[in-house]
Amino acid sequence: MTTPLMQVSGLGMTYPARRRGAGIKAVDGLDFEVRAGETLGLVGESGCGKSTTGRMLVRLLDPTAGQVRFEGQDISGLSQRELRPLRAKLQIIFQDPFASLNPRQTVQQIISAPLRAQGVSKAQQAKEVRELIQLVGLAPEHLERYPHQFSGGQAQRIGIARALATRPALVVADEPVSALDVSIQAQIVGLLERLQRELGVAYVFIAHDLAVVKHLSHRVAVMYLGRIVEIGEKDQVYADPAHPYTKALLSAVPLPDPAAERARERIVLLGDPPSPANPPSGCTFHPRCPKAQEICRSEVPLLQLTSGPGERQVACHFPENEDSAAS
Ligand code: SF4
């Protein structure tokens, strides 16, 4: 078996409490891997810790627990100087393209910045930037313009070109289409997919609903209140969700087949996700879970392989497809 591109173990982020007491666990003990050239969809409601996770994967945030191994090397404790050569291989695309592009720089300057940081010669920068702008579907004449002269979709293409400038092995795409019109979202997802085919880059694609990542992902991880509650091959998770939370999220995804869409039963969850500052005991999903039983209030369910085919893992005492006794 080949070593995964990235291995995450026990990854956590605890923010200090404002007053005395335990800190706030935004991310709690994540274990997963990212394979070369794949897309791992990372999905959950806002506040579940998915963006914090994405930022820790590329070391824009320093984890307070656990490890991130990239190409076999533990990068969680590296200094900024030690990280510099790795920055070329690990990149991020942000949700709001305008906020992430310097308004005083031309597109040429923006896209060439990562190449400059890696010491690439000016002539080579100019050549590569021309290639990159065309790769993302814009034209060389756009290079002398400023971010405000573009639409949201075009600005995100510039962000993508910048992220790909150094030919990274892994890009964290942090809700890259959430701020865009629905008609533009499909174009950007299609672009990311084509670039993956052409360049072999792996993505961790963060989204707040399962519809956005369905097309692009090879595997999907569902997060709830700082933990992964289900992870597995895309087809398996979508066809046969094992965690009640995944099932509820999926019930909100429209189906392409009109008959199936008419028959779709929407599971509406009660209330909002609880605050990570005051998480429920046991399974943190229990106050909203239609299947909750006594054990769910007291015992934290561990992420475990399901008994079905594939490598799907679920953290639930009563998984949807195994109506057996509590684990
Ligand atoms: S452990 Fe219990 S409360 Fe949590 S998701 Fe499973 S059935 Fe629901």
Side-chain angles (χ1 to χ4, degrees), residues 229 242-245 282-297 299-301 314-320:
V229 295
H243 196 281
Y245 179 59
C283 172
T284 54
F285 186 56
H286 84 252
R288 304 172 80 196
C289 180
K291 293 187 73 180
Q293 299 190 30
E294 201 45 48
I295 186 175
C296 306
R297 292 171 185 60
E299 283 189 29
V300 178
V314 63
C316 177
H317 295 303
F318 306 99
E320 289 290 337

Side-chain angles (χ1 to χ4, degrees), residues 102-112 142-147 150 158:
N102 186 335
R104 285 184 291 278
Q105 288 190 338
T106 63
V107 174
Q108 166 86 39
Q109 290 170 315
I110 289 168
I111 300 178
S112 60
H142 289 128
L143 289 172
E144 294 314 313
R145 298 187 193 163
Y146 290 86
F150 294 92
I158 296 164

Side-chain angles (χ1 to χ4, degrees), residues 70 73 107-108 116 118-119 126 182-183 191 223 263 309:
F70 178 67
Q73 182 184 11
V107 174
Q108 166 86 39
R116 252 192 331 274
Q118 296 297 320
V182 174
S183 58
L191 171 66
M223 283 186 76

